[in-house]
Amino acid sequence: MAAIRQLIALGPQWPTVDPFLFCAHHDDTYPAGVHELGPARDELAGRNIGSDFAGKDGWNMYHGSIVPGFPQHPHRGFETISFLRAGVIDHADSLGATARFGAGDVQWMTAGSGIVHAEMFPLLDDDGPNPLHLFQVWLNLPAADKMVEPHFSMLWSDTIPVVGGDGVDVTVIAGELAGKRAPAPPPHSWASRAEADLALWHGRMDAGSTWELPPARTAEAVRTVYVYRGGTLTVDGEDVPVEHGALLEQTTEALTLTAVDDEVCWILLQGRPIGEPVAQYGPFVMNTQAEIEQAFADYQRTQFGGWPWPSADPNHGPEKGRFALHADGSVDEPAAEVGS
């Protein structure tokens, strides 16, 4: 039996399968941060500031004007899972919560009934470079949970298990693998339901290494593996070239992954589909067009609680370490510093 149902070519936004909406892959080689934690002003020449996605010189400003990133913008009806491999992100939101997180950390945010947040990428090294490598997965919410209270969790790198060995490292961001379970997702996440069988794993394999991918726990779970860096990955002997994804056949047997001729890095998304209609327009994901129109009306009327910060693109300055201030006023900080 073939292991791969379909190959998918990858771009900046990767196509995904229910319950996921898409995965955005940001890989920016930012220069030194010499102007208010942003690039030198002459580095901005020729860019469409406010909507810079052209990848000039290997990096983007996105919607930032001084610091790269995404100034305040609303969401409703789904979740964002932000897994940072390099760089720093400063988060702020309409609940009054804020955070700084770094390489290896994960922020998991349930937009629910509506939230406004900013995600800025301060360039802390004034000598440069300031690489940023980020995956942001959009995970849908079922109709029953689309209007829950917004919530965000920080999963610090030292709490996220890594399994493997013999040239293979698999980071368990969501789900369970080899007896190790990821930190708990937010309480209303689709991932919090045992029947969802949701997994999000990041793999890195040395050239020539092999690893047995265990079967999903439930027959309904859909799995896609995305090869984003390195050489070719084979799945039971079938090739998945770099910058391609593979929708896997459902199987009760383990599949053998092999890094054929180079180091390979991949992401695996797994979950039982929600199986409901999806209506999406920009930052809102609901079940019907009428609900999308209501989301716009609600945002125009309430601003989802308003914006408590002095600017649309706040950051925490050059010295602050990793931390999270939650909407209830509680603060948590990991033991290690940014970049450690």
Side-chain angles (χ1 to χ4, degrees):
M1 177 179 175
I4 296 174
R5 186 183 309 175
Q6 180 184 355
L7 282 178
I8 307 162
L10 304 184
Q13 291 186 355
W14 301 347
T16 57
V17 180
D18 183 7
F20 303 98
L21 298 164
F22 70 82
C23 176
H25 183 208
H26 302 283
D27 194 0
D28 295 278
T29 53
Y30 289 116
V34 297
H35 175 56
E36 299 181 51
L37 303 186
R41 290 179 178 177
D42 60 4
E43 299 261 17
L44 303 182
R47 295 178 180 272
N48 182 21
I49 297 302
S51 186
D52 173 33
F53 290 81
K56 183 176 181 288
D57 301 324
W59 51 275
N60 303 279
M61 286 295 290
Y62 301 107
H63 296 304
S65 58
I66 296 174
V67 175
F70 296 86
Q72 67 176 93
H73 56 283
H75 290 304
R76 171 180 277 186
F78 67 101
E79 299 186 282
T80 60
I81 308 170
S82 301
F83 174 42
L84 190 58
R85 296 282 294 168
V88 170
I89 295 180
D90 283 351
H91 163 91
D93 67 39
S94 55
L95 304 178
T98 186
R100 169 169 283 180
F101 57 103
D105 296 330
V106 174
Q107 186 203 60
W108 195 318
M109 188 184 78
T110 304
S113 60
I115 193 170
V116 181
H117 75 153
E119 303 156 290
M120 306 309 299
F121 312 147
L123 309 185
L124 300 185
D125 189 341
D126 58 9
D127 290 326
N130 283 276
L132 178 118
H133 190 201
L134 166 68
F135 302 92
Q136 187 174 89
V137 176
W138 285 27
L139 174 63
N140 203 7
L141 286 167
D145 292 325
K146 283 194 176 292
M147 296 297 286
V148 297
E149 288 294 315
H151 181 279
F152 93 90
S153 299
M154 282 306 313
L155 314 183
W156 302 113
S157 58
D158 61 353
T159 70
I160 299 173
V162 179
V163 303
D166 296 326
V168 179
D169 302 305
V170 182
T171 303
V172 186
I173 299 161
E176 184 175 354
L177 179 63
K180 294 189 177 181
R181 178 168 288 279
H188 291 286
S189 175
W190 182 242
S192 69
R193 303 186 184 198
E195 69 271 20
D197 196 14
L198 194 132
L200 197 170
W201 303 336
H202 176 276
R204 190 210 58 80
M205 302 175 64
D206 288 346
S209 63
T210 63
W211 183 67
E212 295 297 306
L213 171 66
R217 184 170 48 81
T218 62
E220 296 86 1
V222 178
R223 310 174 111 182
T224 311
V225 62
Y226 301 89
V227 179
Y228 72 86
R229 182 175 291 173
T232 296
L233 179 75
T234 65
V235 181
D236 270 12
E238 298 180 58
D239 288 351
V240 186
V242 67
E243 297 185 1
H244 283 76
L247 178 62
L248 303 181
E249 293 287 356
Q250 293 170 318
T251 176
T252 58
E253 303 296 328
L255 299 174
T256 301
L257 306 189
T258 303
V260 179
D261 51 9
D262 200 352
E263 179 185 71
V264 173
C265 295
W266 48 265
I267 292 276
L268 181 135
L269 299 181
Q270 169 189 301
R272 185 170 69 83
I274 293 171
E276 297 175 351
V278 174
Q280 179 177 354
Y281 192 92
F284 305 137
V285 182
M286 303 301 290
N287 296 104
T288 68
Q289 185 59 35
E291 290 170 336
I292 293 291
E293 293 169 3
Q294 186 64 54
F296 275 100
D298 290 347
Y299 177 59
Q300 291 171 354
R301 179 174 54 85
T302 70
Q303 297 296 294
F304 292 161
W307 188 246
W309 308 102
S311 70
D313 57 351
N315 69 75
H316 299 300
E319 304 298 333
K320 184 72 174 175
R322 292 148 66 213
F323 79 101
L325 168 65
H326 297 273
D328 64 1
S330 62
V331 177
D332 64 279
E333 299 179 351
E337 293 300 321
V338 170
S340 62

